[in-house]
Amino acid sequence: TNDATMAASIPSYWSKEGQELLLEITGHGSLPPEDPLMKDNEWKNDCDLIDADATLLVQTHAEDFGMVPLSSQYNSRGGNWTNAYFSMEGRGNDGSTRSNQTTNTYNSDGIYLESSAIAETTSFTNEHLIAVQVRAYRNIPEGEEITTDYRDYGDIGTPELLRDFGFVELYPQRWIFTKQNVAFDVDVVIMNTNLHPPQPLLWQLEYLEGYDNDDVNTVSNVTFFRDELKRLNDLDLNFRIRTATKLRKAEANVIEQYYKGLTTALSLAVRENNNNVVYGMDNNEGRKAIKDEL
């Protein structure tokens, strides 16, 4: 693959040093995402034999039915930041028109509450597809970035977005620990670095439906989260990046973002209390990272 394509690559196309470092961070299968280098993805492996550049573009920019002009220009961000979605309309074999639209629910203050389907969900062949639109969930003020949520594509979170699209999403982030049957969203609720002394970051952890999240407090899971957090804290990531002679700068940036997000999620899983609110991460480096993202 050429350098221009690699600049926005997914881990399966990274340098060997980048891939090895990511595998070490994920504990070679202990932490998500599953199959981070997509070695078990038959579609990708077969297509790579034909044209790796084309495979990368389709993997990161195409919809299920193909590639659409401009659709790749919309960035992804969940929660209150999502203000648009893709609407695909098709015609069934009986001539009826169907769509896969979803809608977000907001309260009177414009705060995101939930996302739900508002029409029959169906898949279309290219022959049946008749329209692809980008629709707004709400009124979008002039100058506000139009953002969709890639997590609408399935039961995926921050780790899977890295594997499939090559980026670490801004907060809110979603972490799904399938083996532990635990899944939650992490968001920054309050942050004010202008106060003296600076106000500690306030993080909110919200469990997702469909998982037995009581398992977060089992002895085995508490031990797992603590052991993995300790392992990552003992990893001298800055040193590893500085001494990696063939690690691309873009890869290093993504690895650092993923490491910070993952260690934050593990810290919250360990320190989670009855109110689902955790204080901490008030070191200058963590504060600056979140401020830059917001």
Side-chain angles (χ1 to χ4, degrees):
T1 53
N2 60 55
D3 291 339
T5 304
M6 288 302 305
S9 180
I10 56 179
S12 56
Y13 294 103
W14 283 0
S15 64
K16 183 178 180 181
E17 285 184 315
Q19 292 180 344
E20 290 177 347
L21 189 51
L22 178 62
L23 289 176
E24 186 170 352
I25 289 174
T26 60
H28 295 273
S30 296
L31 296 172
E34 182 181 354
D35 191 20
L37 303 183
M38 302 180 73
K39 291 185 178 295
D40 297 330
N41 188 308
E42 294 183 5
W43 172 86
K44 177 185 173 299
N45 293 334
D46 291 343
C47 292
D48 276 343
L49 297 175
I50 302 173
D51 191 319
D53 281 339
T55 303
L56 176 58
L57 289 174
V58 171
Q59 172 67 33
T60 56
H61 292 81
E63 305 297 329
D64 290 341
F65 50 82
M67 300 187 71
V68 178
L70 300 180
S71 67
S72 62
Q73 301 303 308
Y74 299 106
N75 289 323
S76 171
R77 193 167 187 182
N80 296 327
W81 300 90
T82 307
N83 55 26
Y85 65 97
F86 285 98
S87 170
M88 290 173 283
E89 295 185 359
R91 196 172 303 281
N93 293 329
D94 59 357
S96 61
T97 299
R98 304 173 184 177
S99 71
N100 74 332
Q101 299 177 26
T102 59
T103 184
N104 280 2
T105 303
Y106 297 85
N107 64 17
S108 58
D109 295 323
I111 303 300
Y112 169 82
L113 297 178
E114 62 180 355
S115 177
S116 59
I118 60 174
E120 178 181 1
T121 300
T122 186
S123 59
F124 309 112
T125 64
N126 291 340
E127 291 78 11
H128 292 164
L129 185 66
I130 60 176
V132 178
Q133 298 175 324
V134 178
R135 296 174 176 264
Y137 279 129
R138 54 177 170 80
N139 292 331
I140 303 176
E142 182 178 354
E144 179 179 331
E145 181 182 10
I146 297 176
T147 57
T148 60
D149 189 353
Y150 290 4
R151 294 180 301 192
D152 287 343
Y153 294 137
D155 192 15
I156 60 176
T158 302
E160 292 73 30
L161 291 177
L162 169 61
R163 178 194 63 198
D164 297 346
F165 298 99
F167 70 91
V168 178
E169 64 177 336
L170 303 177
Y171 287 99
Q173 294 182 348
R174 174 163 296 177
W175 295 90
I176 303 174
F177 299 92
T178 304
K179 297 177 182 178
Q180 287 67 44
N181 201 23
V182 173
F184 51 80
D185 286 343
V186 175
D187 202 0
V188 180
V189 181
I190 297 174
M191 188 193 74
N192 191 334
T193 58
N194 296 322
L195 298 179
H196 299 283
Q199 181 179 348
L201 300 187
L202 177 61
W203 298 81
Q204 179 170 313
L205 181 152
E206 182 176 350
Y207 290 116
L208 302 182
E209 295 182 0
Y211 296 85
D212 188 5
N213 289 300
D214 290 339
D215 287 351
V216 72
N217 293 318
T218 63
V219 174
S220 60
N221 276 350
V222 169
T223 301
F224 168 80
F225 288 124
R226 286 179 176 174
D227 289 348
E228 288 299 312
L229 181 60
K230 182 180 185 304
R231 179 181 65 81
L232 290 176
N233 286 336
D234 290 342
L235 176 66
D236 193 343
L237 184 64
N238 290 332
F239 174 79
R240 296 289 300 278
I241 289 177
R242 289 198 309 271
T243 57
T245 58
K246 297 182 180 180
L247 181 66
R248 298 181 178 91
K249 183 177 180 180
E251 297 171 8
N253 290 338
V254 172
I255 288 173
E256 287 181 322
Q257 293 168 12
Y258 189 69
Y259 176 86
K260 291 177 181 178
L262 179 56
T263 52
T264 297
L266 291 174
S267 296
L268 295 178
V270 170
R271 302 167 61 182
E272 198 271 332
N273 62 21
N274 291 333
N275 294 324
N276 287 344
V277 177
V278 179
Y279 292 85
M281 310 299 172
D282 53 354
N283 60 80
N284 292 332
E285 181 180 1
R287 188 189 312 282
K288 182 178 183 301
I290 301 303
K291 183 178 180 181
D292 290 343
E293 290 190 329
L294 294 177

